[in-house]
Amino acid sequence: KQAASLRLLLESDGILPAGTAGLFVSPMQRALETAGILFGTNSDTSLNSGYAVIDEFAEIDFGDWDGMSWKEINGQAEAVYKQWLDDPVNLAPPGGETLVEFNRRVDCGLNRVFQAVGDDPSGDCQAPVVIVAHGGVIRSIICILLGLEPGKHLSFRIDCASYSMLSTYNTLDGKRGAVLSSLNKK
């Protein structure tokens, strides 16, 4: 129901269905189901029909902690959990990834998106790109495009079934910059 409402909002804002440079989605089941509702299409490797799955947009890997609540983690691994809370940027949950590793992975996926739509630091992509992903991935994308360090990711709250918009541009030194123009629009 939330995804159907979001689809109507994206249509009324002129983002869907026409005029997009590309539709991209995380490989995780919940994102694939949401994309199916939003786009009404199936996964495809081409951008001519459906959407492209970007493996790097999977949510952060919490390793042994995946599927557990913070209370459960604290109860089972209090010392390790407290160490991780002190430095989640550089420390990984057991069997998981650090925020540095996660951001590196998301950045690779973001570069794949820009390459797929024919955008690179020497030229601007004018049509919207739509990415269906998870809160952590979206926060990471925001930090990457705004040039913020990985530890700043919690400065942004990302609501379910909302959309945020960044406008990218190219700087004089050939790098990509961005402006956050909306956050959590519902």
Side-chain angles (χ1 to χ4, degrees):
K1 188 175 178 181
Q2 290 175 326
S5 293
L6 180 58
R7 179 185 173 99
L8 293 174
L9 178 60
L10 291 169
E11 287 172 349
S12 71
D13 286 355
I15 297 169
L16 287 178
T20 58
L23 309 171
F24 303 91
V25 64
S26 157
M28 297 180 81
Q29 188 61 39
R30 62 186 184 266
L32 294 168
E33 290 173 5
T34 300
I37 294 167
L38 290 178
F39 309 144
T41 58
N42 295 316
S43 169
D44 195 329
T45 55
S46 74
L47 296 179
N48 296 327
S49 63
Y51 52 86
V53 174
I54 303 294
D55 291 334
E56 294 89 348
F57 288 165
E59 186 57 285
I60 191 167
D61 183 357
F62 281 104
D64 297 347
W65 296 350
D66 271 338
M68 296 174 67
S69 70
W70 297 120
K71 186 177 180 179
E72 291 171 322
I73 295 166
N74 189 39
Q76 290 182 18
E78 184 177 357
V80 175
Y81 179 61
K82 287 183 178 181
Q83 284 179 326
W84 176 78
L85 284 176
D86 287 339
D87 189 10
V89 174
N90 298 301
L91 297 177
E97 63 187 332
T98 67
L99 279 174
V100 169
E101 294 165 337
F102 175 62
N103 270 18
R104 193 174 304 127
R105 173 168 55 83
V106 171
D107 192 30
C108 287
L110 194 55
N111 285 328
R112 286 184 57 206
V113 167
F114 282 116
Q115 288 172 355
V117 298
D119 185 34
D120 61 48
S122 64
D124 291 320
C125 177
Q126 299 300 316
V129 170
V130 178
I131 298 171
V132 177
H134 318 280
V137 173
I138 295 166
R139 286 192 297 268
S140 180
I141 289 171
I142 290 170
C143 286
I144 290 165
L145 290 176
L146 294 180
L148 303 174
E149 58 192 64
K152 298 294 183 186
H153 75 288
L154 291 178
S155 300
F156 303 97
R157 186 190 81 235
I158 304 300
D159 293 337
C160 291
S162 68
Y163 83 87
S164 301
M165 187 174 294
L166 289 131
S167 300
T168 60
Y169 61 90
N170 298 305
T171 62
L172 294 175
D173 60 357
K175 296 182 181 176
R176 186 173 287 111
V179 173
L180 179 64
S181 52
S182 68
L183 187 69
N184 294 318
K185 190 166 180 183
K186 286 185 167 186

